[in-house]
């Protein structure tokens, strides 16, 4: 599920706002992209029902700065942030991620 990175029409529905409904309709088989910038963004997308996230511009920025090594660095940075967010939220495994991890308000 993608809003094309929000590039086409400003103020469209965010993927975060729609992923729950879409994931439920697809029995949890939805991947999401658009605006994933931090490990906490990944964790939140998974909590909201995505089974995976895709990354657009951040890997291009890494590529522009340092080629293949820059891409690898961006992905590693996100991985480390995701692990840290899991540790700080008491999430031992990606399998443990559920809606209770995000407060309702
Ligand atoms: C410069 C640029 C061009 C893009 N062109 C297309 C396109 O032609 N077709 C498409 O489906 N998505 C296109 N996208 C959207 C990406 O496939 C992807 O959904 C988006 O970049 C993900 O959001 P993120 O960059 O915030 O991670 C484009 C994105 C960028 C930044």
């Amino acid at each position: 599920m993608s809003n094309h990175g929000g590039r086409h029409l400003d103020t469209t529905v965010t993927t975060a706002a729609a992923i729950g409904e879409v994931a439920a309709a697809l029995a949890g088989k939805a991947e999401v992209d658009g605006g994933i910038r931090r490990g906490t963004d990944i964790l939140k997308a998974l909590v909201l029902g995505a089974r995976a996230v895709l990354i657009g511009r951040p890997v291009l920025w890494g590529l522009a700065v340092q080629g293949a090594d820059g891409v690898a660095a961006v992905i590693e940075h996100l991985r480390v942030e995701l692990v840290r967010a899991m540790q700080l939220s008491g999430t031992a495994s990606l399998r443990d991620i559920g809606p209770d991890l995000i407060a309702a308000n």
Side-chain angles (χ1 to χ4, degrees), residues 2 4-5 7 33-37 54-58:
S2 174
H4 291 211
R7 298 169 55 251
D33 82 4
I36 301 292
R37 298 291 181 268
L54 297 100
I55 313 295
R57 281 161 288 189

Side-chain angles (χ1 to χ4, degrees), residues 40-88:
T40 47
D41 296 332
I42 300 172
L43 187 61
K44 284 183 267 188
L46 297 178
V47 167
L48 291 168
R51 70 173 174 179
V53 301
L54 297 100
I55 313 295
R57 281 161 288 189
V59 292
L60 297 180
W61 298 328
L63 182 70
V65 170
Q66 210 178 349
D69 287 346
V71 172
V74 166
I75 293 170
E76 175 62 7
H77 187 77
L78 288 167
R79 189 192 69 77
V80 168
E81 283 188 342
L82 172 60
V83 169
R84 187 178 306 134
M86 290 173 66
Q87 290 168 334
L88 292 173

Side-chain angles (χ1 to χ4, degrees), residues 15-34:
T15 48
I19 184 62
E21 194 176 340
V22 172
L26 296 176
K29 293 180 182 167
E31 299 89 24
V32 63
D33 82 4

